Amino acid sequence: MSCEIFILLSITRTYTCTTVVPAAQPWTEGEHVGKREELVSKLRGTPEGLPSVEEVRAMLASDPELKCVVCYARISFDGRVKDAHGVEDQHRDMTETARRFGWLVVYRYTDNDKSASKENIVRDDFEQLLADLAAGTTPDGYPIHGVMAVNDDRLYRRPSDWERYLKAFTTQDGRVYHDSNGIQDLYAEGFEIKGLLGVAMSLSETRKKERRSRNSHRSRAIRGQSVAAWRPFGWEDDKVSLRPDEAEAIRQAVKDVIAGASISEITRRWKEAGFITSRGNAFQYQTVKQVLVNARLCGYREIKGELVRDGDDQPIVGEWEPIITPKEWFAVTAKIRERGRGTGMPRGGLVHKYLLTGILRCGHVLEDGTVCNNKMIGIKANDWLKYQQAYMCKKTVDGGCNKTYKRGDKTDKAIEELVIAKLERDAASKAQDVPDWDKADALERAVRSRNELERRWHDDEDTDIDDETFFRNLPVLERRIKELRADQRAHEALKAEAEEAKEDVRNSWGSKTLTQKREAIKKVLSAVIAVPGGKGNKTFDPDLLKPVWRTSE
């Protein structure tokens, strides 16, 4: 053996002995996401310190027994900590096993936090492994003589994946495969059937676990126990007691949304306050919406959008401390669904910077005797003026007349005073108690009829209810119950709005956001006609602002 080849073999043996992934270190909540991705990236591709392709080929020429293997690691759920310790441990074990066999690990494939049993999940590294096996080399050109996995279910859990893997693996002869059962001969007669049996058993076990998990989830929900995998925002790690600052932020957000604030405003407010999700991520529109429509806020439990109810059809109350009342929860969910046309999604409308943009309309009389009536826009006032904003009619090229200009601060104040006075008058009439929901008996009868239908269907001695009769009548009752419950939720939202109307309108006005104020103004005003004040620097005259009240309110 030449001196060069001896040195290369020494490098190989040293590499396989020392390339062990270090143990995971504890990470802080703010660091764990970035560190996890960094670690997973290191667990992919060609390991550090590996000899070059040319050097490895020289080693193979001098040592025909040497095997270049690739390692595949996968885990379905990365755990609550999300530190990639599962795939890290798998690669450490496979590296140690390769060292014992004298094999050279030339590439690592890692699919972290990805299921192998769900059809809609794409495992990128598994797909890359199949392509590389068919090509015969890794992306960097190293030959592939075998595959390692800690267990075969890391590689495949569905028959189609097993067949694809076996086909790619056997495109070349003489490859080795190693898992928890030792070295397996995938070329042996009947091994394909054996693999399919293993996949079938794995699928069966997976479905049993899923069924047990669903049953356990519902049983715990019926007992009112928390089933959240993560600490819900607003609660402590025990998922029962409240985290004061987060709970107060939710209470205020619910109150503001009911009063007209947008979820985008709540999202921005939470970001500015430094709040993050329990998983350590910044809040986005969707995550804020999910927090606000979660029945957990008022102590209730939901499964797939339906409240979990007891034998008397009453919502199950959980063991955790509620943040808001059920009445407030019904109101905020109704408000969010109403804005998103039933979806809770943002409509994508403009976010205005000035209070009366689009509400003020130009009252200038044109030469033909008609009124301009174009929507006025808010603008930044000139620096030498005492006020910061103004409203003006659009330029003629934009369809306006450019004849009406109003000082912004005094215009806002004048209209706000008019609106507050109107809201106070409305509140006096709306603040009366909303009567109790008058369809409770109808809902009770519908639920009782459904329960009786199910009882008779299960009763073998009752021959009047056969399968056809049962399945013909059940949807009718279910639809009736669903409609009544929707009506009940709408009634609860109405009661919450009535309670809101009892609050001091004037004192609460100052704490409203710009969006809330605009919504309140548009509820009582169709428009405000701004009549020009004439030429020259005139004193502001509020009488030149003509409100057009909504008569349907």
Side-chain angles (χ1 to χ4, degrees), residues 362-398:
C362 176
H364 173 66
V365 179
L366 303 176
E367 292 181 357
D368 62 0
T370 61
V371 177
C372 174
N373 202 37
N374 268 284
K375 292 181 178 180
M376 298 176 66
I377 58 174
I379 60 171
K380 183 179 182 300
N382 292 323
D383 295 337
W384 64 82
L385 296 173
K386 295 180 180 179
Y387 51 92
Q388 297 180 337
Q389 68 182 76
Y391 297 100
M392 63 175 291
C393 185
K394 297 176 183 178
K395 296 179 181 179
T396 53
V397 294
D398 295 324

Side-chain angles (χ1 to χ4, degrees), residues 304-502:
K304 294 183 177 181
E306 292 292 332
L307 292 178
V308 181
R309 299 174 181 271
D310 59 19
D312 295 325
D313 206 48
Q314 296 301 310
I316 298 290
V317 178
E319 62 185 0
W320 54 89
E321 295 183 54
I323 295 178
I324 59 176
T325 65
K327 184 161 45 181
E328 290 172 320
W329 179 74
F330 281 119
V332 74
T333 52
K335 183 70 71 173
I336 290 172
R337 292 188 179 110
E338 172 193 336
R339 290 178 186 171
R341 298 183 179 93
T343 65
M345 296 292 291
R347 292 182 179 179
L350 294 175
V351 178
H352 293 287
K353 186 177 180 180
Y354 301 105
L355 181 67
L356 299 175
T357 297
I359 298 174
L360 280 179
R361 289 183 176 269
C362 176
H364 173 66
V365 179
L366 303 176
E367 292 181 357
D368 62 0
T370 61
V371 177
C372 174
N373 202 37
N374 268 284
K375 292 181 178 180
M376 298 176 66
I377 58 174
I379 60 171
K380 183 179 182 300
N382 292 323
D383 295 337
W384 64 82
L385 296 173
K386 295 180 180 179
Y387 51 92
Q388 297 180 337
Q389 68 182 76
Y391 297 100
M392 63 175 291
C393 185
K394 297 176 183 178
K395 296 179 181 179
T396 53
V397 294
D398 295 324
C401 69
N402 199 27
K403 296 295 185 181
T404 305
Y405 178 96
K406 293 294 179 182
R407 176 173 174 169
D409 56 345
K410 290 190 175 182
T411 300
D412 287 351
K413 185 176 180 181
I415 298 303
E416 284 182 285
E417 283 296 327
L418 288 173
V419 169
I420 289 173
K422 175 74 163 90
L423 291 175
E424 286 178 331
R425 292 194 299 270
D426 290 347
S429 59
K430 287 183 178 179
Q432 55 187 323
D433 291 335
V434 176
D436 292 337
W437 188 51
D438 59 0
K439 299 178 183 177
D441 290 341
L443 176 59
E444 183 180 351
R445 286 195 302 272
V447 171
R448 193 162 53 242
S449 297
R450 182 196 59 188
N451 293 344
E452 177 63 14
L453 180 69
E454 291 177 341
R455 185 196 66 75
R456 293 182 62 189
W457 183 55
H458 287 295
D459 188 352
D460 294 335
E461 296 181 1
D462 193 334
T463 57
D464 293 336
I465 302 294
D466 55 16
D467 290 350
E468 192 275 333
T469 303
F470 175 75
F471 287 109
R472 186 179 68 249
N473 286 278
L474 182 63
V476 177
L477 291 171
E478 291 284 9
R479 185 165 56 251
R480 176 61 174 162
I481 292 170
K482 187 175 182 179
E483 290 171 351
L484 288 169
R485 283 176 176 165
D487 188 75
Q488 185 183 36
R489 287 194 297 269
H491 183 267
E492 291 293 338
L494 184 64
K495 289 183 68 174
E497 289 185 358
E499 289 293 328
E500 189 75 19
K502 294 179 181 179

Side-chain angles (χ1 to χ4, degrees), residues 183-197:
I183 298 176
Q184 306 291 313
D185 183 6
L186 302 192
Y187 303 91
E189 184 177 354
F191 197 87
E192 182 175 1
I193 302 301
K194 179 181 178 183
L196 286 174
L197 289 173

Side-chain angles (χ1 to χ4, degrees), residues 126-363:
F126 177 72
E127 298 299 328
Q128 182 66 50
L129 169 63
L130 298 186
D132 293 346
L133 283 172
T137 62
T138 70
D140 293 332
Y142 292 93
I144 301 177
H145 300 140
V147 178
M148 299 185 69
V150 294
N151 208 321
D152 57 359
D153 63 3
R154 299 300 91 197
L155 279 162
Y156 46 81
R157 276 184 173 268
R158 293 185 295 138
S160 58
D161 286 342
W162 157 245
E163 292 170 356
R164 294 167 61 216
Y165 170 70
L166 185 63
K167 181 179 179 180
F169 185 92
T170 55
T171 52
Q172 293 187 11
D173 294 332
R175 282 175 171 163
V176 295
Y177 170 65
H178 185 279
D179 60 18
S180 58
N181 295 315
I183 298 176
Q184 306 291 313
D185 183 6
L186 302 192
Y187 303 91
E189 184 177 354
F191 197 87
E192 182 175 1
I193 302 301
K194 179 181 178 183
L196 286 174
L197 289 173
V199 170
M201 293 177 64
S202 178
L203 279 175
S204 176
E205 185 60 29
T206 298
R207 287 166 182 160
K208 285 181 182 178
K209 288 180 179 179
E210 290 175 350
R211 189 161 53 250
R212 287 196 297 267
S213 177
R214 286 196 301 268
N215 292 340
S216 173
H217 187 87
R218 182 163 187 84
S219 296
R220 291 173 63 190
I222 291 174
R223 292 196 298 271
Q225 296 177 336
S226 175
V227 294
W230 294 81
R231 177 188 75 82
F233 183 75
W235 284 267
E236 296 290 356
D237 290 334
D238 61 7
K239 306 172 189 175
V240 174
S241 54
L242 298 180
R243 184 167 289 191
D245 56 340
E246 294 180 357
E248 182 55 36
I250 290 174
R251 285 192 198 96
Q252 188 61 46
V254 167
K255 183 178 180 180
D256 289 343
V257 169
I258 293 173
S262 68
I263 294 181
S264 297
E265 286 181 302
I266 304 301
T267 305
R268 183 167 57 251
R269 183 193 304 169
W270 284 7
K271 285 182 176 179
E272 291 172 353
F275 289 120
I276 58 175
T277 70
S278 55
R279 300 194 183 192
N281 302 318
F283 272 106
Q284 303 297 327
Y285 179 96
Q286 283 298 328
T287 47
V288 172
K289 181 178 80 73
Q290 289 166 6
V291 169
L292 297 181
V293 300
N294 191 346
R296 179 181 237 276
L297 296 184
C298 67
Y300 290 168
R301 278 286 292 117
E302 276 186 305
I303 294 181
K304 294 183 177 181
E306 292 292 332
L307 292 178
V308 181
R309 299 174 181 271
D310 59 19
D312 295 325
D313 206 48
Q314 296 301 310
I316 298 290
V317 178
E319 62 185 0
W320 54 89
E321 295 183 54
I323 295 178
I324 59 176
T325 65
K327 184 161 45 181
E328 290 172 320
W329 179 74
F330 281 119
V332 74
T333 52
K335 183 70 71 173
I336 290 172
R337 292 188 179 110
E338 172 193 336
R339 290 178 186 171
R341 298 183 179 93
T343 65
M345 296 292 291
R347 292 182 179 179
L350 294 175
V351 178
H352 293 287
K353 186 177 180 180
Y354 301 105
L355 181 67
L356 299 175
T357 297
I359 298 174
L360 280 179
R361 289 183 176 269
C362 176

